[in-house]
């Protein structure tokens, strides 16, 4: 584990951390995490519920102190008497916050703006997150998506260099999610750095330049979404369910198949050449004395990467 | 409107807006103390003494007696046979039974344990003796006065103001802090460059503004409805109320410093305030409690603000006369702030 110091901070890296560990009474929430987030990129922490994403991001935000490990944000460390300077430079949306119930959108944005020495205009910020029609609406009467966008506005109003978003679209309908994505994309296009957590693989694939897949407090894979999927060495995934149990030992060696695994009653094949693999599979199943009850193919996704790495699905819902 | 204001101003304004947009909070701060003052003020208002209620038991018609008793201080409830009048006395309809035997021999019958009976006997006997020709040996003249600040309502109003300062500081600060902690707004604010001192100061400032409005409203109400005037200086009242605000704010911050749930903070608040409701003499003097606990009772912040306000408002005391009360409040403020800041949970 290499150490980071203020002097040796790699220029260009917005966030560097080494060996983060956070223990709670009965669980190790973060079990040794190293990250390098470059300036101007969107970096994602992808993992299931309870993986340690929130704990990690809140340690980086300086809201929780780690038991072990070192952090540099924009070349500076927390707790060295310059925290307020750092806070000026970052914007944060927590996983869930209920902001002052009876204040309106405009009043809340104005309040948060007043907390920063410099920042965006109130109107500009509200426009940025597309909440103009709701300016005078009290927080209590906003929908989930509008609340999330207001939280984003509060994160953006200080004109941050780094934006931290903890599950920014959890629980939102598709339209609301797309609007969030647009705002984040626009922020990034103007040179901002984003660190976000999510348990949606499509969100990670869509927004993130690079990501780290987290499980049980550890990074189990990292890279660009493309590279992570490419590591599966598969053009297609076949999932099928046989009508009856059959001897399936030979599946992985079928022509055109890279690997096979079994997951409660159905099989997942990572396939390089579908034209060879599919007929061979059908023949093998028939030979094994079973039929096909259900079969589907799809292009490999981050979900398949997670399933491959952990044997579990990313989402439990 | 200016685009941006200082954080402290903005946060103070936000707190005030949140407060007055909450109808319930406004009622408890303004309506409730006024209702309380009205109810207690009417129930315990001072009245001129009731006339002595007298029953006359006589067999014959005694006109001189009737004439002698016809004064505003005496009310002859009934005249009848001894049996009838005795019955009325037993039912508590008369305080005194006057019996006239043959000739001019009088006898009085009244409850030895009832002060109204004693009083009635004095008044009636005096009236009858004079009517019968008794001459006063000494000359005397009566001078009646109405001492300002000596009615029950004069006693009550400082207590209501004290209770109000306590209630609105405790709930307005402690409850809101815990709410913000629970909803993670506190954490969200800590994630900005906000100064933590501004956060706490915004509570004090918004409370101060409400305190001025609340106390002014109660004083005006008391003046116009009950004719309660401030015997001492308004400045003195303001100083004691302000120290009260600081003392209770500190206490409130202390109670809320680590609590995570609304239920818990409600319980702790009530626990902190209950002894003061009972002991601090808001409605009735704590002099009735055993002497031995008085020094302890005087150390409670509500006692200090009540006693201080009462001395200034009802007795016209100068600020220098309420230094002990001011010291108690200042100590509560300083000590509880220091402890609260040490143990305060920002997350
Ligand atoms: N304050 C806490 N006290 C005890 N355990 C916690 C606390 N916060 C998080 N945890 C535990 O740490 C693990 C990681 O939680 P979290 O970082 O919230 O995961 P994620 O955000 O990926 O869902 C979980 O097992 C969670 O129960
Ligand atoms: Mg989380």
């Amino acid at each position: 584990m290499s150490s980071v110091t203020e002097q040796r901070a790699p220029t260009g890296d917005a966030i560097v951390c080494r060996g983060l560990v956070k223990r709670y009474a009965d669980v190790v929430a973060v079990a040794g995490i190293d990250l390098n987030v470059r300036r101007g990129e969107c970096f994602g922490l992808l993992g299931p519920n309870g993986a340690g994403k929130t704990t990690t991001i809140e340690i980086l935000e300086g809201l929780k102190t780690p038991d072990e490990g070192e952090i540099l944000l924009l070349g500076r460390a927390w707790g060295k008497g310059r925290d307020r300077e750092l806070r000026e430079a970052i914007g944060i949306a927590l996983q869930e916050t209920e902001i002052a119930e009876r204040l309106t959108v405009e009043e809340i944005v104005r309040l948060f703006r007043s907390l920063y020495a410099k920042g965006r205009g109130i109107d500009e910020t509200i426009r940025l997150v597309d909440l103009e029609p709701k300016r005078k609406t009290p927080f209590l009467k906003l929908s989930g998506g509008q609340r999330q966008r207001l939280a984003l506005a509060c994160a953006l109003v200080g004109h941050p260099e780094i934006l931290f978003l903890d599950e920014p679209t959890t629980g939102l309908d598709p339209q609301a999610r797309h609007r969030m994505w647009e705002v984040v994309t626009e922020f990034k296009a103007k040179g901002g750095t984003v660190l976000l957590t999510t348990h949606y693989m499509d969100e990670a694939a869509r927004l993130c330049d690079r990501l780290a897949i987290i499980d049980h407090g550890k990074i189990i894979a990292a890279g660009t979404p493309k590279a992570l999927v490419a590591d599966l060495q598969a053009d297609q995934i076949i999932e099928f369910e046989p009508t009856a149990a059959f001897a399936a030992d030979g599946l992985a060696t079928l022509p055109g198949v890279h690997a096979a695994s079994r997951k409660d009653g159905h099989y997942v094949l990572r396939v390089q050449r579908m034209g060879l693999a599919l007929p061979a599979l059908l023949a093998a199943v028939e030979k094994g004395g079973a039929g096909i009850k259900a079969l589907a193919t799809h292009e490999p996704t981050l979900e398949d990467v997670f399933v491959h790495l952990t044997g579990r699905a990313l989402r439990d819902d | 409107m200016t685009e941006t204001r200082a954080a402290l101003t903005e946060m103070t304004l936000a707190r005030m807006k949140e407060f007055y947009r909450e109808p319930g909070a406004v009622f408890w701060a303004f309506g409730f103390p006024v209702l309380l003052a009205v109810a207690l003020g009417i129930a315990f208002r001072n009245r001129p003494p009731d006339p002595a209620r007298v029953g006359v038991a006589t067999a014959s018609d005694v006109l001189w007696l009737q004439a002698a008793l016809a004064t505003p201080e005496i009310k002859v409830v009934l005249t009848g046979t001894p049996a009838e009048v005795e019955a009325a006395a037993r039912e508590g309809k008369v305080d005194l039974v006057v019996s006239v035997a043959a000739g001019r021999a009088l006898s009085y019958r009244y409850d030895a344990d009832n002060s109204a009976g004693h009083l009635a006997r004095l008044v009636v006997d005096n009236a009858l003796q004079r009517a019968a020709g008794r001459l006063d040996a000494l000359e005397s003249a009566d001078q009646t006065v109405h001492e300002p600040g000596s009615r029950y309502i004069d006693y009550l109003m400082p207590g209501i103001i004290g209770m109000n300062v306590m209630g609105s500081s405790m709930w307005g600060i402690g409850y809101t802090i815990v709410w913000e902690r629970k909803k993670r707004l506190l954490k969200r604010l800590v994630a900005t460059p906000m100064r933590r001192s501004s956060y706490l100061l915004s509570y004090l400032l918004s409370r101060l503004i409400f305190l001025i409005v609340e106390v002014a409203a109660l004083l005006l109400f008391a003046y116009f409805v009950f004719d309660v005037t401030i015997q001492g200086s308004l400045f003195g009242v303001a100083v004691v109320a302000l120290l009260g605000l600081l003392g209770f704010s500190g206490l409130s911050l202390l109670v809320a410093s680590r609590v995570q749930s609304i239920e818990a903070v409600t319980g702790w608040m009530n626990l902190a305030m209950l002894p003061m409701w009972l002991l601090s003499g808001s409605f009735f003097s704590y002099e009735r409690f055993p002497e031995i606990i008085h020094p302890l009772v005087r150390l409670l912040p509500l006692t200090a603000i009540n006693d201080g306000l009462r001395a200034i408002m009802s007795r016209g005391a100068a600020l220098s006369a309420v230094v002990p009360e001011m010291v108690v409040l200042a100590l509560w403020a300083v000590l509880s702030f220091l402890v609260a800041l040490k143990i305060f949970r920002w997350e």
Side-chain angles (χ1 to χ4, degrees):
Chain A
M1 189 181 312
S2 66
S3 130
V4 283
T5 62
E6 303 227 2
Q7 291 75 26
R8 275 191 287 136
T11 52
D13 277 1
I15 306 169
V16 184
C17 77
R18 290 287 172 269
L20 286 193
V21 174
K22 181 75 180 176
R23 300 181 194 92
Y24 290 113
D26 51 346
V27 67
V28 183
V30 178
I33 281 188
D34 300 348
L35 288 174
N36 281 66
V37 178
R38 297 177 197 136
R39 280 180 203 251
E41 79 174 336
C42 178
F43 193 95
L45 299 176
L46 175 68
N49 276 331
K53 304 182 298 295
T54 297
T55 310
T56 304
I57 200 170
E58 289 190 353
I59 290 173
L60 297 175
E61 292 162 346
L63 293 174
K64 284 192 163 97
T65 39
D67 294 316
E68 292 169 28
E70 291 166 89
I71 303 156
L72 284 186
L73 247 58
L74 303 166
R76 282 169 277 180
W78 290 110
K80 296 271 157 65
R82 293 163 73 190
D83 287 8
R84 290 193 67 219
E85 249 171 80
L86 263 181
R87 299 228 163 274
E88 288 280 353
I90 65 175
I92 290 175
L94 299 174
Q95 189 167 345
E96 274 157 24
T97 325
E98 281 198 32
I99 311 176
E101 283 184 353
R102 287 172 202 282
L103 298 184
T104 65
V105 166
E106 183 181 341
E107 287 165 342
I108 289 171
V109 174
R110 189 179 294 283
L111 173 65
F112 274 83
R113 173 64 187 84
S114 79
L115 304 176
Y116 293 85
K118 55 177 183 41
R120 277 176 227 278
I122 312 298
D123 298 337
E124 180 198 342
T125 311
I126 293 176
R127 207 175 318 121
L128 207 60
V129 298
D130 212 2
L131 276 179
E132 280 158 312
K134 297 285 165 187
R135 273 187 95 98
K136 305 279 180 205
T137 307
F139 181 82
L140 217 48
K141 298 212 171 121
L142 297 178
S143 71
Q146 290 161 349
R147 287 178 185 198
Q148 295 278 44
R149 270 182 285 142
L150 175 58
L152 193 55
C154 294
L156 288 172
V157 75
H159 221 317
E161 291 174 52
I162 310 178
L163 190 57
F164 290 92
L165 304 174
D166 194 1
E167 307 222 3
T169 64
T170 297
L172 299 193
D173 59 57
Q175 200 188 351
R177 296 177 71 199
H178 280 277
R179 288 174 118 167
M180 287 293 286
W181 292 350
E182 279 167 28
V183 180
V184 174
T185 309
E186 198 176 324
F187 173 79
K188 212 192 68 163
K190 293 195 176 131
T193 308
V194 183
L195 179 67
L196 71 82
T197 76
T198 183
H199 65 254
Y200 296 122
M201 62 90 190
D202 55 337
E203 183 163 273
R206 170 87 173 256
L207 282 182
C208 298
D209 300 306
R210 291 190 306 142
L211 47 98
I213 299 180
I214 299 194
D215 194 32
H216 298 306
K218 287 203 186 72
I219 295 179
I220 53 173
T224 64
K226 260 209 174 85
L228 285 167
V229 174
D231 277 350
L232 287 175
Q233 302 198 20
D235 293 333
Q236 289 283 321
I237 304 288
I238 298 178
E239 285 185 57
F240 77 94
E241 199 179 333
T243 51
F246 74 108
D249 317 330
L251 286 181
T253 56
L254 290 175
V257 173
H258 175 68
S261 57
R262 189 179 165 177
K263 204 178 89 191
D264 33 72
H266 71 273
Y267 295 82
V268 179
L269 304 188
R270 283 186 278 143
V271 173
Q272 280 157 334
R273 293 163 69 190
M274 187 62 94
L276 290 179
L278 198 54
L281 170 64
L282 296 176
V285 172
E286 197 170 341
K287 203 167 134 218
I292 300 281
K293 194 167 157 193
L295 184 145
T297 72
H298 63 261
E299 292 202 2
T301 66
L302 289 167
E303 179 79 36
D304 299 302
V305 176
F306 189 81
V307 172
H308 168 57
L309 292 170
T310 66
R312 288 177 289 119
L314 195 49
R315 296 187 49 190
D316 41 24
D317 48 56
Chain B
M1 196 190 289
T2 50
E3 177 74 328
T4 60
R5 271 184 293 248
L8 182 57
T9 317
E10 203 61 67
M11 273 198 287
T12 306
L13 283 175
R15 302 218 170 290
M16 295 180 59
K17 285 178 194 156
E18 284 217 278
F19 176 80
Y20 68 69
R21 287 177 192 170
E22 179 105 57
V26 175
F27 169 76
W28 289 109
F30 293 100
F32 181 67
V34 162
L35 284 183
L36 203 61
V38 169
L40 290 170
I42 288 174
F44 297 100
R45 72 184 181 280
N46 290 14
R47 282 174 300 210
D50 292 326
R53 300 172 304 163
V54 177
V56 180
T58 175
S60 56
D61 188 25
V62 237
L63 277 175
W64 72 272
L65 198 107
Q66 302 277 2
L69 294 179
T71 81
E73 291 162 340
I74 298 168
K75 181 176 180 212
V76 178
V77 177
L78 85 162
T79 304
T81 65
E84 285 167 358
V85 179
E86 287 300 324
R90 271 196 301 278
E91 288 167 23
K93 287 179 182 158
V94 300
D95 300 320
L96 177 75
V97 176
V98 183
S99 310
V100 193
R104 289 189 155 197
L106 300 174
S107 79
Y108 300 117
R109 191 187 160 90
Y110 56 96
D111 184 349
D113 298 326
N114 182 356
S115 57
H118 287 274
L119 192 64
R121 182 203 175 286
L122 287 178
V123 175
V124 169
D125 189 50
N126 195 32
L128 294 178
Q129 300 287 4
R130 279 189 177 185
R134 185 187 73 184
L135 293 176
D136 288 339
L138 299 173
E139 218 170 282
S140 67
D142 288 353
Q143 228 180 339
T144 58
V145 291
H146 294 280
E147 190 69 54
S150 63
R151 299 164 303 164
Y152 177 66
I153 189 74
D154 296 306
Y155 178 89
L156 180 66
M157 273 331 287
I160 296 239
I161 293 175
M163 292 264 295
N164 200 42
V165 173
M166 172 170 86
S168 69
S169 320
M170 295 288 283
W171 292 115
I173 297 180
Y175 189 86
T176 316
I177 285 179
V178 174
W179 193 91
E180 293 189 350
R181 185 183 286 131
K182 185 175 158 57
K183 301 287 183 180
R184 317 217 306 155
L185 177 55
L186 185 53
K187 186 176 190 170
R188 179 64 189 86
L189 289 172
V190 166
T192 71
M194 174 192 77
R195 286 177 201 277
R196 293 176 183 194
S197 56
S198 305
Y199 178 79
L200 298 176
L201 266 179
S202 72
Y203 277 105
L204 270 188
L205 280 181
S206 61
R207 275 296 123 205
L208 177 64
I209 292 163
F210 285 121
L211 177 85
I212 293 169
V213 179
E214 285 169 22
V215 171
L218 280 175
L219 288 175
L220 286 174
F221 162 81
Y223 175 71
F224 284 113
V225 177
F226 288 114
D227 207 16
V228 174
T229 51
I230 299 173
Q231 305 307 312
S233 73
L234 188 59
F235 175 73
V237 171
V239 170
V240 172
L242 176 66
L243 281 171
L245 170 78
L246 293 176
F248 288 119
S249 302
L251 183 59
S252 170
L253 199 63
L254 187 61
V255 170
S257 57
R258 299 189 71 78
V259 182
Q260 303 271 27
S261 78
I262 298 290
E263 293 77 12
V265 77
T266 307
W268 286 111
M269 288 284 185
N270 284 326
L271 193 65
M273 291 193 281
L274 186 68
M276 295 193 267
W277 284 324
L278 295 178
L279 298 174
S280 290
S282 291
F283 304 122
F284 299 100
S285 170
Y286 58 83
E287 299 293 337
R288 291 169 188 236
F289 291 114
E291 194 89 31
I292 194 159
I293 67 164
H294 288 183
L296 281 178
V297 169
R298 288 200 192 95
L299 287 178
L300 296 172
L302 185 58
T303 316
I305 191 174
N306 283 348
D307 287 357
L309 288 176
R310 213 159 263 154
I312 295 171
M313 286 176 64
S314 311
R315 296 199 301 278
L319 262 185
S320 57
V322 294
V323 167
E325 283 81 6
M326 294 199 291
V327 169
V328 167
L329 291 174
L331 278 178
W332 273 101
V334 171
L335 295 180
S336 50
F337 260 110
L338 286 180
V339 177
L341 285 185
K342 262 240 142 34
I343 65 172
F344 197 84
R345 198 197 294 259
W346 285 97
E347 199 186 291

